[in-house]
């Protein structure tokens, strides 16, 4: 979604009521356009304040001359937020209820995910299998429909490919 305050609030509120877990990435840095923290706090109806623990982490990481007000902005978190450790560049993400707010830089976000994974309850195992064949979707459509109706607990999708002048299809089964 776009970095617009009201849009973030709307999407976070819809998603957190509809899904077990919601993940956001980006918008928690030190610049004026990093508005995700404020928007997520607004979605939950809480204030943003300087988090003492997050501030201590930043003070520990940065030398006194490198820790400025812009960087300290990354310690301003929604009231009641739980910190998400950042093993790459220190500035923490946070969690409010079922919403996990992570950094946008891929390497930093991946580092944070290592801590988040431990907080997520695993669901049922999903097995996926793909079958590639030199047929056209129109040739297998009726048969796939029949098989799908018989095995409603398996998701069956067909995906047309066109490579090197050859039309083919991949059938993917998940359940």
């Amino acid at each position: 979604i776009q970095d617009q305050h009201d849009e973030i609030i709307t999407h976070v509120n819809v998603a957190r009521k509809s899904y077990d877990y919601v993940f956001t990435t980006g918008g928690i840095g030190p610049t004026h356009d990093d508005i995700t923290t404020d928007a997520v706090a607004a979605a939950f109806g809480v204030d943003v304040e300087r988090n003492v623990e997050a501030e201590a982490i930043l003070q520990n990481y940065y030398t006194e001359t490198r820790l400025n007000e812009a960087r300290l902005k990354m310690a301003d978190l929604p009231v009641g937020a739980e910190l998400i450790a950042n093993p790459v560049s220190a500035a923490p993400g946070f969690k409010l209820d079922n919403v996990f707010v992570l950094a946008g830089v891929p390497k930093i976000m991946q580092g944070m995910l290592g801590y988040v994974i431990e907080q997520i309850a695993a669901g049922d195992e999903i097995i996926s299998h793909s079958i590639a064949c030199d047929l056209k979707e129109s040739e297998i459509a009726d048969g796939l429909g029949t098989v799908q109706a018989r095995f409603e607990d398996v998701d069956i999708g067909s995906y047309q490919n066109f490579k090197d002048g050859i039309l083919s299809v991949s059938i993917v089964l998940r359940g």
Side-chain angles (χ1 to χ4, degrees):
I1 61 171
Q2 294 182 352
D3 285 332
Q4 294 180 354
H5 194 261
D6 291 342
E7 190 167 341
I8 294 169
I9 293 169
T10 298
H11 286 283
V12 165
N13 278 330
V14 168
R16 72 187 177 104
K17 293 172 185 166
S18 302
Y19 300 99
D20 293 335
Y21 303 106
V22 177
F23 298 90
T24 73
T25 58
I28 61 172
T31 60
H32 73 283
D33 61 338
D34 288 314
I35 62 169
T36 301
T37 297
D38 290 333
V40 170
F44 280 87
V46 299
D47 291 331
V48 172
E49 68 180 14
R50 181 72 39 98
N51 181 290
V52 176
E53 186 181 352
E55 182 177 16
I57 290 168
L58 293 173
Q59 287 173 341
N60 239 2
Y61 184 78
Y62 292 105
T63 62
E64 209 172 291
T65 57
R66 290 179 54 219
L67 183 60
N68 56 29
E69 253 329 289
R71 286 187 169 133
L72 280 171
K73 177 186 176 212
M74 296 184 292
D76 294 339
L77 302 175
V79 173
E82 297 175 40
L83 300 186
I84 296 174
N86 173 352
V88 178
S89 63
F94 64 89
K95 174 188 173 217
L96 272 178
D97 193 31
N98 64 336
V99 178
F100 295 83
V101 181
L102 310 174
V105 178
K107 186 175 179 102
I108 299 171
M109 183 270 302
Q110 290 166 354
M112 290 178 163
L113 271 178
Y115 293 92
V116 170
I117 292 294
E118 297 172 9
Q119 300 179 40
I120 296 175
D124 294 335
E125 181 181 5
I126 296 175
I127 298 169
S128 178
H129 187 71
S130 297
I131 302 165
C133 56
D134 293 331
L135 297 171
K136 296 171 182 60
E137 281 185 309
S138 60
E139 296 171 343
I140 62 171
D142 289 341
L144 276 182
T146 301
V147 172
Q148 181 66 82
R150 185 169 173 205
F151 299 98
E152 293 178 5
D153 58 338
V154 177
D155 293 323
I156 302 173
S158 63
Y159 305 95
Q160 197 77 48
N161 301 303
F162 188 73
K163 186 175 178 182
D164 298 326
I166 299 170
L167 195 59
S168 65
V169 68
S170 292
I171 302 166
V172 179
L173 302 99
R174 291 182 193 92

